[in-house]
């Protein structure tokens, strides 16, 4: 069955290593008839959550801040799968991704008990380091995030050892990302 997939791309580099993973993943997913929509967060006007707890009053426009999150909310609500794509920044997600993710709280606010909509999730990440200990902190964070949201992990693809744009060329993670997309 065809699925709706959204990608939240936290990389600020339009042709960077994260984007290469996204392109391969998308190729795989589209080859199986899935619909993929990628949001390049760096190009969007998205402010940090204000923590006002004043959202959730309007399902179409759940946050009190009226910025480019308004483009993401309806797609997020309709999607079965959310892909978190990011360069590793200080052993975590980039600020662009964390900023947008925090703002998804406004959707949870539409539910009286702040319940998040249930999603399947995927992590795509590029990083300079290439050791198990380098990936551990972010994988642990990602898995605990999913546990708390009651989301289901469909896969993690990490391309280690890539620093500059283009370093990812020929990396085995590209094929892994494509296969993951095609496996959905
Ligand atoms: C601010 C900043 C922080 C970074 N922190 C890490 C890190 O903690 N661990 C790591 O392995 N690489 C780190 N890197 C390297 C990036 O993850 C790496 O260059 C990655 O390939 C960038 O992906 P992109 O091409 O999609 O921007 C950092 C890079 C920057 C600019």
């Amino acid at each position: 069955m065809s699925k709706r997939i959204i990608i939240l791309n936290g990389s600020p580099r339009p042709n960077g290593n994260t984007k290469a993973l996204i392109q391969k993943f998308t190729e795989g997913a589209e080859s199986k008839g899935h619909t993929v929509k990628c949001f390049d967060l760096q190009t969007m006007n998205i402010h940090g959550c204000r923590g006002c707890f004043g959202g959730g009053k309007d399902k179409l426009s759940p946050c009190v801040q009226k910025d480019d999150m308004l483009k993401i909310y309806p797609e997020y609500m309709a999607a079965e799968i959310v892909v978190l794509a990011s360069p590793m920044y200080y052993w975590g997600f980039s600020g662009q991704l964390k900023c947008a993710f925090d703002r998804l709280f406004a959707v949870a606010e539409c539910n009286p008990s702040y319940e998040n909509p249930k999603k399947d999730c995927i992590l795509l990440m590029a990083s300079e380091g290439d050791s198990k200990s380098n990936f551990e902190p972010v994988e642990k964070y990602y898995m605990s995030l999913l546990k708390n949201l009651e989301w289901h992990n469909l896969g993690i693809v990490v391309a280690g050892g890539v620093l500059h744009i283009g370093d990812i060329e020929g990396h085995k993670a590209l094929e892994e990302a494509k296969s993951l997309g095609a496996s959905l």
Side-chain angles (χ1 to χ4, degrees):
M1 201 184 73
S2 168
K3 295 197 171 131
R4 282 162 297 191
I5 303 170
I6 63 159
I7 303 177
L8 300 179
N9 174 21
S11 174
R13 302 200 289 194
N15 299 311
N17 300 311
T18 306
K19 198 58 186 256
L21 287 173
I22 289 171
Q23 280 161 350
K24 284 288 177 187
F25 170 85
T26 303
E27 220 179 290
E30 288 182 343
S31 75
K32 293 293 155 89
H34 303 303
T35 307
V36 183
K37 180 140 183 80
C38 181
F39 293 98
D40 296 321
L41 302 170
Q42 173 68 20
T43 66
M44 300 173 74
N45 176 34
I46 297 175
H47 297 271
C49 174
R50 292 183 190 160
C52 69
F53 289 82
K57 294 180 178 70
D58 175 359
K59 277 197 172 161
L60 293 175
S61 178
C63 187
V64 298
Q65 299 191 69
K66 305 304 172 195
D67 58 13
D68 283 346
M69 281 304 293
L70 288 176
K71 296 176 185 164
I72 296 180
Y73 288 130
E75 303 288 342
Y76 166 66
M77 286 185 245
E80 283 95 16
I81 301 173
V82 176
V83 178
L84 305 179
S86 179
M88 184 185 290
Y89 277 2
Y90 291 101
W91 298 277
F93 298 163
S94 72
Q96 288 87 338
L97 177 57
K98 182 66 170 68
C99 182
F101 204 90
D102 287 349
R103 295 284 304 285
L104 297 179
F105 179 65
V107 177
E109 286 184 294
C110 295
N111 181 298
S113 46
Y114 293 148
E115 224 176 273
N116 291 280
K118 301 294 174 269
K119 306 287 178 190
D120 288 331
C121 194
I122 285 167
L123 176 64
L124 302 179
M125 179 163 276
S127 71
E128 178 191 12
D130 195 18
S131 63
K132 194 170 175 285
S133 65
N134 194 56
F135 305 138
E136 254 168 20
V138 73
E139 284 187 4
K140 202 168 171 193
Y141 171 67
Y142 167 75
M143 290 309 292
S144 73
L145 176 68
L146 265 55
K147 189 173 175 218
N148 285 293
L149 295 175
E150 295 178 41
W151 287 13
H152 175 238
N153 176 38
L154 293 179
I156 299 174
V157 177
V158 189
V162 298
L163 179 61
H164 301 295
I165 293 171
D167 282 354
I168 200 165
E169 210 176 305
H171 199 293
K172 66 175 172 31
L174 292 173
E175 276 316 303
E176 286 168 22
K178 190 176 170 182
S179 304
L180 180 57
S183 74
L184 301 172

